[in-house]
Amino acid sequence: MKTEERTQLQAAITELRDEIEQHDYEYYVCSEPTVSDGEYDEKMRRLIALEKEHPEFYDPHSPTQRVGSDLSGNFRQAAHAFPMLSLGNIYTEAEVREFMEKDDCVLVEPKYDGISISLTYVDGRLTQALTRGDGETGEDVTANVRTVRTIPLRLWGTPPQTVEVRGEIVMPWKEFRRLNRERERLGEQPFANPRNAASGTIKQKSPRTASHRKLDAYIYQVTGEGLPPTHSGRISEAAKWGLRTAEPIPCHNTGDVLKAINRWDAIRKDYAVPTDGVVIKIDSLARQEQLGATGKTPRWAVAYKFQSEQAETRLLSVSYQVGRTGAVTPVANLEPVRLSGTVVRRATLYNADTIGKLDLHAGDRVYIEKGGEIIPKITGVDRDARPAGAEAVVFPLRCPDCGTPLVRPDGESTHYCPNAAGCPGQVKARIEHFASREAMNINIGPETINDLFNAGYATDAADLYDLPVACLRRMDGWGENNTRNLRDSLAASCRLPFERVLYALGVRYLGKTAAKRLAATFLSIDSLVGASFASLTSVDDIGERIAQSILDYFADEENRRLIERLRSAGLQFTAEEKEPADERSEALAGLTFVISGVFALHSRDEYRLMIERAGAKVSSSVSSRTDYILAGDNMGPSKLEKARNLGVRIISETDFLKMTGGEGYEQSV
Ligand code: AMP
Ligand code: ZN
């Protein structure tokens, strides 16, 4: 070979290795792949072929030499009993035929698209759950896996004393859509696909988060003493132990396999969980053992990948949308193109990094793909078709709506416009959120909000409650019906419970569930405004991030003014009484309490409830109107001094319990 040729070959191999490494990083570490699985596999195949043809370029660090690693370092690591392998991919009938030459007793199973997991049961009890990791070592995610309802903590029947089952943890489509809707509402980045969502959930540090997301699991491999000698036999055993298993279709020739593939391809769109192909496996374990594995993949099984639906079109422009939290999201405007039955005009670009990674230029030919999400994404660019002199797409430095310089918080991939109060995009998005169905359910759409905002009639949510009739009449296309509907829905919104109002305010990160909890715990906006960081985080579901965001929200005078105006408009800022009326008393009617310090017998929230049920008020700071301070340990010295100066009575928790009739007192002492 000529030196020149050698250098070129070497360069080609190095380039492929670098590219694949980059893709591995994006896929496994960032959970944000930028190429389709098909493209990735194609590159991998080219590299494998080149390396095979030219063994002189062997490199132990080549990506062909290992299974991609997803070790995050956040969990205890443990070695696998035997390697967790990946699967080779095939795409064509010819390749199916070739595989069938190895053995004619195979099974076709769906290839579940999630995160692989190894579960160990000892004496029928789940003792350990490991991720694939780098194939040799995985991460111990048992705590999170325990929250998956279809993974039994105890097996039924008579499994071997120690049994290891492997399978895939997946996020059902329905749950994926629900989660992404919730994340969008909270101003968080939606997951790109259910696989990332499943993997992100299993690698959460807090099992509580995992338990709120309904994951599912399918078992596709079973090992242990004394089990049947076939894959299908073992799968039916595992089903008897109460595990949810893959459903293997037995096949004996290429025709059967193709039929099974087509059957799965046809039903996958309506299937509850995501699948991205089928796995063809040889049934006999003896034959499996005989065939063994090549470094990365077993020889006795292969994945037939469904073609993901792709289309090619042209990038017309990129627009930037400002959300209610100030997050700026780039959106690609495309030349309309048909893709899986719908006409696509827009694709999400997520953030500045995505634009950079794609190396997007104006007028580029782009490939788009639907990964199950409603809005498709751009998976690649045809650089060869790029017009000469095309300009690179650059993420703006300033807010497209108000011109304020954008900021990007450390460790986040999102840019924000910091001008919360004055940015038209954010103001309109906040009103839209307030009016949305799950918030105050007001009959008004984004266009009308936009028109009202531009005309100066609606600059915040409270303005909706005193729109002059004349301004509505002038609205384009508005008739009497629209006006009546709007008025009716505004009136109805005044009857919606406090938890809905709290959610409608649009405090960053404060979702519906958390709003509900806060409403049930603090019972009124006033006690919530006075709540400390510690009392907020002591509530279930309220983490530090939400707590801080709530404090920031109420610290802003503008927000407090908005609340007052909404209150005068008639919205509910106190929770309705859930307790039966006889639990209420007037024992402490008219008195004002301040709660301070740490208590031994009840939590602060419980004391707050007791005080309010006895007809008294709880206030957050000591003033001349304070009647009693309910003091625990470690009461702040400044409060103590202020109380003494004002002559406020300080009582202990036992004093208080006696005072309120002693029921709680007797119970606790
Ligand atoms: P890949 O990650 O694309 O190389 O595909 C290999 C992975 O497919 C395995 O590690 C499993 O997690 C997953 N998989 C999904 N369904 C099955 C199945 N029925 N049998 C074997 N592996 C499966
Ligand atoms: Zn702005």
Side-chain angles (χ1 to χ4, degrees), residues 500-522:
R500 290 275 288 270
V501 182
L502 188 54
Y503 169 68
L505 292 178
V507 180
R508 190 187 233 168
Y509 307 126
L510 183 59
K512 267 192 323 191
T513 321
K516 198 170 181 158
R517 282 244 202 276
L518 287 176
T521 310
F522 290 92

Side-chain angles (χ1 to χ4, degrees), residues 428-450:
K428 285 185 280 186
R430 279 200 299 270
I431 302 177
E432 276 171 38
H433 167 77
F434 180 88
S436 68
R437 222 178 39 171
E438 296 190 287
M440 300 322 289
N441 193 19
I442 292 166
N443 261 313
I444 192 167
E447 293 84 30
T448 314
I449 290 173
N450 187 44

Side-chain angles (χ1 to χ4, degrees), residues 17 135 159 259 358 365 367 445 489 500 544 567 573 659:
R17 285 176 182 165
K259 250 187 254 154
L358 287 168
R365 302 288 316 172
Y367 303 107
S489 62
R500 290 275 288 270
E544 294 187 355
R567 203 201 296 255
F573 280 98
M659 198 167 142

Side-chain angles (χ1 to χ4, degrees), residues 27-28 85-87 89 109-113 115-116 132 167-168 220 246 276 279 281 305:
Y27 183 107
Y28 290 107
L85 299 173
S86 182
L87 288 170
N89 292 319
E109 294 171 358
K111 183 170 187 296
Y112 301 98
D113 198 12
I115 172 174
S116 41
R132 178 159 82 177
E168 196 86 352
Y220 54 67
D276 62 339
V279 184
K281 289 179 185 172
K305 288 272 187 85

